[in-house]
Amino acid sequence: DVNAFDLPIAMKQSKDANMSYSGLKTACMQAITNYKLRITNLDKKFVADFAASFQKAAVSQLINKIEFALQKLKIDNSKLKTVLVGGGVSQNKYLRKKLKAKFGKDYSIHYPSDKKLYTDNAGMIAVAAYFNALKHKELNSIEEINAVDREPNWSLE
């Protein structure tokens, strides 16, 4: 039941395309804690309903951010007719159904044709950053790249 838990749609009011699930994560932790205070075991129905509710909230944020980006891009390019969805999440059937329902009339929605291309975005970003750094001669060896620490807001530039 996607409506079993009233989980927030993160960053719903923000006027940008930035993503964060920290508010959703906190709401999930609180919901599970509250449930466990009432019951000793997390039964199968709870797990299924909670997962469905989480998926609904997470996908809703993606839909909102895609809609924001499309509106912003459409201002600059009235010929925009295609949405390309990538990363591991693009395999999610619920997301695909919601994308088709929301954007299918106005846009052609495309996914990678080969399942080997459904990869994690973090991996794709890491590879892009690695080759960008090599191109600019900022890294000279594998030892140097191993010294690089993660920076959540690091730009590829």
Side-chain angles (χ1 to χ4, degrees), residues 53-66:
S53 297
F54 173 83
Q55 179 176 247
K56 176 185 174 188
V59 166
S60 293
Q61 182 185 16
L62 284 170
I63 297 290
N64 289 346
K65 295 303 180 172
I66 292 168

Side-chain angles (χ1 to χ4, degrees), residues 1-9 21 24 28 31-32 43-61 92-95 97-98:
D1 178 4
V2 297
N3 297 310
F5 294 88
D6 187 23
L7 298 174
I9 299 170
Y21 287 111
L24 177 57
C28 288
I32 291 170
D43 60 14
K44 286 183 182 183
K45 180 169 177 23
F46 169 86
V47 173
D49 288 348
F50 194 82
S53 297
F54 173 83
Q55 179 176 247
K56 176 185 174 188
V59 166
S60 293
Q61 182 185 16
N92 184 288
K93 291 177 185 173
Y94 180 83
L95 172 63
K97 177 180 154 189
K98 293 298 182 181

Side-chain angles (χ1 to χ4, degrees), residues 10 32 40 46 51 54 57 60 63 65-66 69 76 89 93 105 114-115 117-118 122-123 131 148:
I32 291 170
T40 56
F46 169 86
F54 173 83
S60 293
I63 297 290
K65 295 303 180 172
I66 292 168
D76 299 330
V89 73
K93 291 177 185 173
K105 290 180 184 172
D114 186 340
K115 287 193 178 194
L117 299 175
Y118 290 106
F131 284 110
V148 175

Side-chain angles (χ1 to χ4, degrees), residues 66-130:
I66 292 168
E67 183 173 35
F68 172 83
L70 289 172
Q71 289 303 319
K72 186 171 175 89
L73 290 170
K74 202 164 213 170
I75 293 168
D76 299 330
N77 183 359
S78 62
K79 296 178 184 178
L80 182 66
K81 295 290 182 202
T82 303
V83 174
L84 177 62
V85 184
V89 73
S90 63
Q91 293 184 72
N92 184 288
K93 291 177 185 173
Y94 180 83
L95 172 63
R96 286 177 174 227
K97 177 180 154 189
K98 293 298 182 181
L99 286 170
K100 184 177 180 181
K102 182 73 176 179
F103 304 113
K105 290 180 184 172
D106 299 319
Y107 299 93
S108 174
I109 303 170
H110 295 273
Y111 306 93
S113 57
D114 186 340
K115 287 193 178 194
K116 287 187 280 186
L117 299 175
Y118 290 106
T119 57
D120 180 60
N121 287 339
M124 291 186 279
I125 291 169
V127 169
Y130 173 75

